[in-house]
Amino acid sequence: MKKSVLFLASIVISVLAFSQSSKDAKMHQFVNGLLTKMTLEEKLGQLNLPASSDFVTGAVSSSDIAEKVKAGKVGGVFNIRSVTKIKELQEFAVKNTRLHIPLLFGMDVIHGYRTIFPIPLGMSATWDMSLIEKSARIAASEASADGIQWTFSPMVDLTRDPRWGRTSEGNGEDAFLSSAIAKAMVHGYQGDDLSAPNTIMSCVKHYALYGAAEGGRDYNTTDMSRVSMYNNYFPPYKAAVEAGVGSVMVSFNEIDGVPASGNKWLVDDVLRKQWKFNGFVVSDYTGIPEMMNHGIGDFQTVNARALNAGVDMDMVGEGFLTTLKKSMQEGKVTLAQINKACERILIAKYELGLFDDPYRYCNEKRSAAEVFTDKNRADAREIASQSFVLLKNNNNLLPIAKGKKIALVGPLANAKENMTGTWSVGADNTQSITLLKGLTNGVGTFGKVSYAKGANLDDDLELEKRQTMFGKEIPRDGRTPEQLLQEALAVSADADVIVAALGEGAESSGESASRSNLDLPASQQKLLKALIATGKPVVLVLFNGRPLTLTWEDANVPAILDVWFAGSEAGDAIADALLGKVNPSGKLSMSFPQNVGQIPLYYNHKNTGRPLGKWFSKFQSNYIDVSNDPLYPFGYGLSYTNYEYGPVQVSSTQLKGNQKLSASVTVKNTGKFPGKEVVQLYIRDIVGTETRPVQELKGFQKIALAVGESKKIDFEITPELLKYYNGDLKYIWEAGEFEIMIGPNSRDVKKVKVNWEK
Ligand code: BGC
């Protein structure tokens, strides 16, 4: 019986493989046939990606798109926000160009399309891969209904520097977690069939190391060992490639002295040869001409370098279009390279089904029926509520009991345009739910919510403008700071509890939004201090696109709920958590430093020869003015209930070769609320030929526990999990002692040691 099942399975697999290879053969035949008909100019046109003037996301914008489309000089266009416009332009391209090749329509669908989910850093705090995949699935189905076939997401740039504004767009500081998220996002967008009308092609970005910009200053130089690249920064991009991502965007920064947009080692050797990526590579916005500023040549030279490196498509630069013919005549690039780049783009269009039906993603009926639906919004509300991280909750101040009088104070309390956060290109921010609305809905007739703004986002008008760009304004209140404060105190006088909605503006983080100071703005600190001075219980609801320095807040505010920028349904989701309809279960994907001087601060650091002590000790690796600890460690997040962790139990402490180790722990909900907990596994390779981090995340499970319930959680560990890239960039593991750690965050772990021989 077993044999016959296996036999049948092998027949099915062979049939599938055969039908896939005959599909591939058909595709190659089609694409090659098309290539032979194309002129050089038409091929170069396919490599050109101008930006629509609908939503400009870079320093320059493209001009005369229609003229260029007609002349066959455009391969795709991005950031058009209307199915009707996309359909019109597609029709124009198909009808007016000699070979009727459809255009590729891209967009920055980063954390939702019209229904907006939390910013990616918030999504990563869910540690819930099925929810993350679901968010990408919904984003794909909405975007594809509006004509979009390609998204510039996921962004998986690992970062250890919260000063960097784009921290908000990524998954934090850990390669293992970020790799899992990369996979979930790619699956969510692309599904199993790229040609289905409700899936879109994903583009992992920004390859590579963009998050290691020196000083956290955007676009800045990176300088890093290859060992760190391979062990820490590369894995999430590689995971996206393994998940079948259709395209890759190269980054703005240089690597070993060569900008990524022209870096042959990075694109050709690592991405294509080592990782076997066979999709297409797109530059970032004017990334190719920017290589002139980097100092590696004139316009003609840098475009040839980009093509030689393996970049196939030129975003906004227009240099592929205008320089490559001459470079070819001069022998600096070859026709074969141009053909290859063009072929990769045509294959993507073929796989998306555009040659079968250029309008398959332009369905006005679907657009009207399937975008921003009640169902999608309900999912977004649920997902948002899972991203919140409870940083502090003294005396179980939260959840707020029914019937309490709530004073809601702060510049983010009624800031509709700011709820979706940065990179919400497809959003209609007029529809977003504010906290004032959510909380008022939530308390219904049982309680009372009174509101005062209390302070402007920032007293410095210029700084406030920079944090509320792209239509994310928070209307400035013209009263003096003192008048605003007095109103807040008056509103609070009658309240049982004060909810202070404070933090960053939506554009305080994101692209070109680096900060050198990570405190709450002075205007808001002043307000918070005055609220605390009333002696009433204060809950800080923190809006932020990055870890902030909250040392004073942690010492003085009894409850802090980090809500990031939670998306279009933010207000309802936050109210769900504040009022106890949902028990917070998010965990930080990035350490929160005590002060900016500790940065870079990350949990998986090396030990040094003079290890970190708890507090200052002369001639040890520490500071004289601050401890080495983060304020909140990686993996940290509280709950309204308590979880008790039993000891770590292992199947054996002596292992050999490819044996499997099972490590388990029993977790019990000992509190009064049902809840979800992220159980985390860390491993340390104690002694080796080369040094290894003090701990590394190697597994996690998000579990639900009813009141009083216990669950035994098992992690299976094989030598695969012990592997790392050594100094010769060999992926190996070494025999010896390992520490197995399990806990609710990277700090509070329980440990056992095992010995693993070869
Ligand atoms: C950003 C990318 C984005 C692109 C297109 C660039 O400025 O770096 O992340 O996808 O613009 O909008």
Side-chain angles (χ1 to χ4, degrees):
M1 174 67 183
K2 211 171 167 196
K3 258 193 188 160
S4 63
V5 170
L6 282 177
F7 180 66
L8 264 181
S10 73
I11 291 185
V12 171
I13 289 169
S14 325
V15 169
L16 285 178
F18 176 75
S19 82
Q20 185 56 42
S21 70
S22 73
K23 258 194 214 158
D24 286 354
K26 209 172 136 206
M27 174 178 79
H28 286 296
Q29 199 182 7
F30 175 85
V31 167
N32 292 335
L34 190 53
L35 269 170
T36 54
K37 292 187 207 137
M38 293 172 81
T39 63
L40 177 63
E41 283 71 17
E42 282 165 337
K43 289 173 188 169
L44 295 177
Q46 288 302 308
L47 317 190
N48 190 33
L49 178 70
S52 103
S53 52
D54 259 22
F55 193 92
V56 177
T57 53
V60 299
S61 61
S62 313
S63 56
D64 313 329
I65 292 184
E67 275 312 301
K68 284 178 188 144
V69 166
K70 199 169 171 185
K73 291 180 174 172
V74 175
V77 181
F78 68 98
N79 286 352
I80 300 184
R81 238 184 329 196
S82 140
V83 63
T84 319
K85 278 194 200 167
I86 290 181
K87 197 169 179 187
E88 255 175 45
L89 189 55
Q90 188 69 298
E91 207 165 330
F92 183 78
V94 172
K95 293 208 170 129
N96 290 296
T97 54
R98 193 178 72 93
L99 293 168
H100 316 293
I101 300 176
L103 295 169
L104 184 62
F105 288 96
M107 185 184 261
D108 289 285
V109 178
I110 306 296
H111 49 113
Y113 173 67
R114 183 82 31 94
T115 305
I116 303 289
F117 303 97
I119 53 167
L121 188 65
M123 287 300 301
S124 69
T126 66
W127 293 58
D128 187 327
M129 297 310 119
S130 62
L131 284 189
I132 289 175
E133 181 167 339
K134 188 175 184 182
S135 75
R137 185 83 291 283
I138 294 171
S141 71
E142 288 196 354
S144 61
D146 254 3
I148 312 294
Q149 312 128 4
W150 179 34
T151 177
F152 306 135
S153 168
M155 189 281 221
V156 299
D157 302 326
L158 190 129
T159 187
R160 294 168 163 178
D161 194 335
R163 291 171 297 181
W164 190 50
R166 306 199 78 170
T167 296
S168 55
E169 297 173 53
N171 308 319
E173 73 190 34
D174 183 70
F176 186 89
L177 177 62
S178 186
S179 299
I181 295 173
K183 282 191 175 146
M185 293 292 287
V186 172
H187 286 148
Y189 288 132
Q190 298 193 164
D192 298 325
D193 176 7
L194 216 44
S195 71
N198 62 353
T199 59
I200 58 179
M201 184 171 60
S202 166
C203 178
V204 68
K205 70 188 186 185
H206 309 82
Y207 181 65
L209 321 186
Y210 185 25
E214 286 178 354
R217 181 159 55 80
D218 209 359
Y219 318 121
N220 203 6
T221 306
T222 65
D223 191 3
M224 177 187 304
S225 72
R226 297 239 161 146
V227 168
S228 188
M229 290 181 203
Y230 274 81
N231 283 312
N232 302 314
Y233 287 77
F234 279 171
Y237 309 110
K238 185 164 181 261
V241 169
E242 284 164 4
V245 74
S247 58
V248 173
M249 187 189 295
V250 282
S251 54
F252 288 123
N253 54 282
E254 69 164 65
I255 292 161
D256 290 340
V258 182
S261 316
N263 197 313
K264 193 166 176 6
W265 172 76
L266 188 74
V267 180
D268 202 41
D269 290 3
V270 179
L271 180 66
R272 293 203 191 280
K273 298 206 173 85
Q274 293 176 24
W275 299 352
K276 314 265 181 288
F277 172 67
N278 59 15
F280 76 90
V281 175
V282 62
S283 80
D284 201 348
Y285 207 109
T286 58
I288 298 174
E290 284 171 27
M291 288 196 278
M292 294 190 288
N293 288 337
H294 280 275
I296 63 160
D298 59 11
F299 195 56
Q300 189 69 35
T301 311
V302 294
N303 278 285
R305 279 194 80 158
L307 188 77
N308 277 319
V311 174
D312 304 303
M313 199 175 215
D314 171 13
M315 188 192 284
V316 187
E318 303 241 315
F320 275 10
L321 192 68
T322 53
T323 67
L324 289 185
K325 184 174 182 183
K326 182 162 174 253
S327 289
M328 197 184 98
Q329 287 158 353
E330 290 171 353
K332 304 214 166 102
V333 302
T334 64
L335 179 61
Q337 287 173 312
I338 295 170
N339 281 343
K340 192 73 205 168
C342 185
E343 182 192 351
R344 289 183 183 126
I345 290 157
L346 294 176
I347 285 179
K349 292 183 178 183
Y350 186 98
E351 287 181 329
L352 283 162
L354 292 173
F355 288 111
D356 279 346
D357 175 8
Y359 312 108
R360 76 192 312 144
Y361 301 91
C362 300
N363 182 336
E364 273 127 330
K365 272 196 200 135
R366 252 192 80 207
S367 167
E370 293 179 27
V371 176
F372 207 55
T373 59
D374 289 349
K375 168 83 177 74
N376 291 354
R377 296 183 68 183
D379 283 336
R381 176 174 176 169
E382 190 215 333
I383 292 172
S385 71
Q386 300 297 307
S387 72
F388 303 150
V389 182
L390 185 63
L391 296 174
K392 205 182 158 191
N393 194 20
N394 271 15
N395 303 323
N396 298 323
L397 175 55
L398 287 175
I400 300 169
K402 231 180 195 172
K404 296 276 184 209
K405 284 184 277 179
I406 302 173
L408 176 62
V409 174
L412 275 314
N414 194 22
K416 197 173 250 195
E417 279 73 14
N418 276 250
M419 294 300 97
T420 55
T422 190
W423 281 113
S424 37
V425 176
D428 174 0
N429 283 318
T430 62
Q431 304 287 319
S432 297
I433 310 290
T434 63
L435 180 52
L436 177 57
K437 182 146 190 236
L439 212 47
T440 312
N441 290 344
V443 299
T445 49
F446 294 107
K448 187 179 155 220
V449 181
S450 26
Y451 160 75
K453 185 169 180 186
N456 280 310
L457 184 76
D458 205 303
D459 282 340
D460 181 327
L461 184 59
E462 191 47 45
L463 257 183
E464 185 170 278
K465 273 195 205 151
R466 290 181 198 162
Q467 299 173 73
T468 51
M469 300 172 83
F470 299 132
K472 307 279 173 56
E473 70 268 16
I474 303 178
R476 193 161 174 93
D477 198 309
R479 286 174 288 174
T480 65
E482 195 47 37
Q483 285 168 330
L484 288 170
L485 181 63
Q486 286 312 323
E487 185 192 31
L489 292 176
V491 161
S492 305
D494 180 39
D496 302 314
V497 55
I498 302 172
V499 173
L502 310 179
E504 299 191 295
E507 296 297 329
S508 305
S509 61
E511 186 168 347
S512 187
S514 297
R515 289 181 65 191
S516 66
N517 173 341
L518 300 181
D519 293 340
L520 284 182
S523 61
Q524 300 187 49
Q525 277 182 28
K526 203 168 148 218
L527 169 64
L528 185 59
K529 285 181 179 160
L531 296 175
I532 295 286
T534 63
K536 302 218 173 210
V538 176
V539 177
L540 169 57
V541 173
L542 187 72
F543 291 80
N544 51 333
R546 52 155 69 79
L548 296 177
T549 45
L550 301 169
T551 309
W552 185 89
E553 291 76 5
D554 181 65
N556 293 283
V557 184
I560 307 177
L561 184 70
D562 192 332
V563 299
W564 316 108
F565 290 95
S568 42
E569 314 311 309
D572 281 331
I574 300 168
D576 288 343
L578 292 177
L579 302 173
K581 249 173 106 177
V582 170
N583 184 355
S585 62
K587 300 270 188 171
L588 298 178
S589 59
M590 202 167 172
S591 312
F592 275 43
Q594 297 183 63
N595 65 29
V596 168
Q598 289 184 308
I599 298 170
L601 180 75
Y602 50 94
Y603 84 96
N604 50 349
H605 57 82
K606 298 287 187 77
N607 207 30
T608 85
R610 298 187 176 196
L612 315 179
K614 256 282 153 234
W615 182 230
F616 179 75
S617 157
K618 194 71 185 166
F619 305 121
Q620 293 301 306
S621 179
N622 39 220
Y623 301 96
I624 58 173
D625 56 353
V626 66
S627 77
N628 289 315
D629 298 329
L631 183 66
Y632 304 119
F634 175 81
Y636 173 85
L638 303 173
S639 164
Y640 294 156
T641 194
N642 297 310
Y643 301 109
E644 203 176 86
Y645 279 67
V648 177
Q649 283 167 332
V650 287
S651 53
S652 167
T653 53
Q654 290 293 333
L655 292 118
K656 204 169 163 51
N658 274 336
Q659 281 182 335
K660 283 181 187 150
L661 169 68
S662 151
S664 57
V665 73
T666 298
V667 184
K668 182 170 185 194
N669 180 348
T670 57
K672 298 198 181 88
F673 291 83
K676 290 186 186 154
E677 169 68 336
V678 182
V679 184
Q680 301 160 38
L681 167 76
Y682 297 87
I683 298 182
R684 176 177 184 183
D685 183 348
I686 301 174
V687 180
T689 319
E690 289 165 29
T691 63
R692 303 289 306 129
V694 294
Q695 59 182 152
E696 288 179 296
L697 183 74
K698 292 291 178 181
F700 58 87
Q701 290 180 39
K702 189 160 187 176
I703 55 163
L705 286 174
V707 174
E709 190 185 5
S710 297
K711 271 188 189 155
K712 185 167 171 261
I713 309 304
D714 282 306
F715 292 100
E716 186 183 275
I717 302 167
T718 64
E720 202 50 38
L721 274 189
L722 311 177
K723 284 187 177 169
Y724 66 98
Y725 289 92
N726 70 4
D728 299 325
L729 301 181
K730 298 246 155 59
Y731 195 50
I732 58 145
W733 68 283
E734 289 189 329
E737 258 194 329
F738 296 87
E739 212 158 38
I740 310 295
M741 301 165 241
I742 302 183
N745 59 61
S746 59
R747 182 188 61 201
D748 303 315
V749 289
K750 298 199 169 165
K751 310 174 179 181
V752 293
K753 274 187 191 161
V754 299
N755 192 53
W756 212 313
E757 294 306 321
K758 281 273 172 168

